[in-house]
Amino acid sequence: MTLYQCLLEKNPCLLAGRALTPRGIVVHSTGANNPTLKRYVQPHAAQTQGMARLLPDPKALTRQELLSLLGVNTGGNDWNRPVSPAVCVHGFVGRRSDGTVAAVQTLPWDVRCWGCGSGPKGSYNASHIQFEICEDGMEDPAYLETAWDTAADLCADLCRKFSIPVTAIRSHAESYRDGYASNHGDPDHWFRRFGKTMDQFRADVEKALGQSQTQPAVAAAVQKRFSFSDETMAYLQRYRYAAALLEKLANKP
């Protein structure tokens, strides 16, 4: 997974800055035929911070570098501004300017988003990290597969970071049925077109978590054998198949 950061500094949700202690994740899809990240995510004209590549290898990015990666939205309808109705999520999964799929963090993970509305029991906005998968015309199984894998990797990373159980990953549709969101059907309606379910998505998050759980002794052996820095080890262990890779490196003749 490639994960960028482009904090939406002009969105009123970030400006409100209400604290969040993440206890779950809500997965959305955008409901519009536009799979590009640039449709929703742009650095504003004067932005100088909150722009970076976070994974796999962290690096600060300039505004021009980030625009080159995301593409330029010439329609003025991105979310780095006051949006009506008021809405903001923690991130997006979609296509970069070169057509490949990546994720972008758009709010600090510990800031409350305006993502799923409310239900009779309250709102997961008060407890859940939330992100959107940018829909296409829902006719391309290859795009969904790649976006699905990226979203699963993002969830796995967040589950590790905040000790979130995989069972606390919900779609917007499930969140509504739970009583903590407005009445939406995403992304279940898209998944169903290709015979997929949220239970399968959660299983893939479990798989991503399992594949990345390296035994400490194996990691230590690899670091000692190849004299890798702590930064290099951190990079390797964020790889989706880190456990298998490090096992091979540890036992390489």
Side-chain angles (χ1 to χ4, degrees), residues 8-20 79-82 86-88 90 106-108 110-114 125:
L8 303 182
E9 294 183 335
K10 297 290 188 180
N11 191 291
C13 181
L14 193 153
L15 295 172
R18 299 182 65 190
L20 171 70
W79 286 13
N80 202 352
R81 59 188 181 87
V87 65
C88 196
H90 291 93
T106 50
L107 285 178
D110 59 355
V111 167
R112 191 177 300 189
C113 79
W114 298 341
N125 288 345

Side-chain angles (χ1 to χ4, degrees), residues 9-64:
E9 294 183 335
K10 297 290 188 180
N11 191 291
C13 181
L14 193 153
L15 295 172
R18 299 182 65 190
L20 171 70
T21 300
R23 299 197 301 272
I25 300 169
V26 177
V27 182
H28 300 262
S29 63
T30 53
N33 182 6
N34 192 334
T36 64
L37 289 167
K38 69 180 182 181
R39 161 62 179 85
Y40 304 94
V41 186
Q42 295 278 275
H44 64 76
Q47 192 155 342
T48 59
Q49 56 188 1
M51 298 174 291
R53 182 177 62 220
L54 301 178
L55 294 174
D57 48 334
K59 176 190 175 184
L61 297 173
T62 67
R63 182 175 181 275
Q64 287 305 313

Side-chain angles (χ1 to χ4, degrees), residues 38-239:
K38 69 180 182 181
R39 161 62 179 85
Y40 304 94
V41 186
Q42 295 278 275
H44 64 76
Q47 192 155 342
T48 59
Q49 56 188 1
M51 298 174 291
R53 182 177 62 220
L54 301 178
L55 294 174
D57 48 334
K59 176 190 175 184
L61 297 173
T62 67
R63 182 175 181 275
Q64 287 305 313
E65 286 173 329
L66 188 57
L67 284 173
S68 176
L69 291 163
L70 299 179
V72 177
N73 181 336
T74 58
N77 59 348
D78 62 88
W79 286 13
N80 202 352
R81 59 188 181 87
V83 180
S84 182
V87 65
C88 196
V89 290
H90 291 93
F92 289 84
V93 170
R95 291 195 186 278
R96 293 180 280 196
S97 60
D98 65 1
T100 59
V101 174
V104 185
Q105 179 192 10
T106 50
L107 285 178
W109 305 125
D110 59 355
V111 167
R112 191 177 300 189
C113 79
W114 298 341
C116 66
S118 298
K121 297 180 183 178
S123 176
Y124 279 154
N125 288 345
S127 56
H128 284 48
I129 292 172
Q130 301 181 45
F131 68 90
E132 297 269 3
I133 306 174
C134 299
E135 286 185 22
D136 61 353
M138 300 195 302
E139 300 294 340
D140 183 354
Y143 170 64
L144 175 59
E145 197 68 38
T146 306
W148 170 289
D149 288 345
T150 301
D153 284 346
L154 177 59
C155 285
D157 188 64
L158 293 169
C159 286
R160 285 193 298 270
K161 190 185 301 291
F162 295 104
S163 300
I164 296 171
V166 172
T167 53
I169 299 172
R170 312 297 288 164
S171 67
H172 193 156
E174 290 175 321
S175 302
Y176 167 69
R177 293 195 293 271
D178 293 343
Y180 292 93
S182 58
N183 187 2
H184 281 238
D186 60 293
D188 303 50
H189 69 296
W190 184 11
F191 292 175
R192 280 195 301 270
R193 289 179 68 88
F194 298 98
K196 292 179 175 290
T197 68
M198 280 299 297
D199 284 339
Q200 291 172 328
F201 180 80
R202 282 183 285 267
D204 279 356
V205 176
E206 287 274 16
K207 189 184 301 181
L209 282 166
Q211 288 165 339
S212 64
Q213 290 172 351
T214 307
Q215 294 296 322
V218 173
V222 170
Q223 186 167 21
K224 181 178 180 180
R225 182 176 184 183
F226 294 97
S227 300
F228 287 151
S229 67
D230 290 343
E231 291 77 10
T232 298
M233 291 303 300
Y235 168 72
L236 288 174
Q237 291 187 79
R238 284 193 294 264
Y239 175 53

Side-chain angles (χ1 to χ4, degrees), residues 237-253:
Q237 291 187 79
R238 284 193 294 264
Y239 175 53
R240 185 171 185 178
Y241 304 103
L245 172 62
L246 292 177
E247 285 282 357
K248 287 183 180 179
L249 291 174
N251 297 303
K252 184 177 179 181

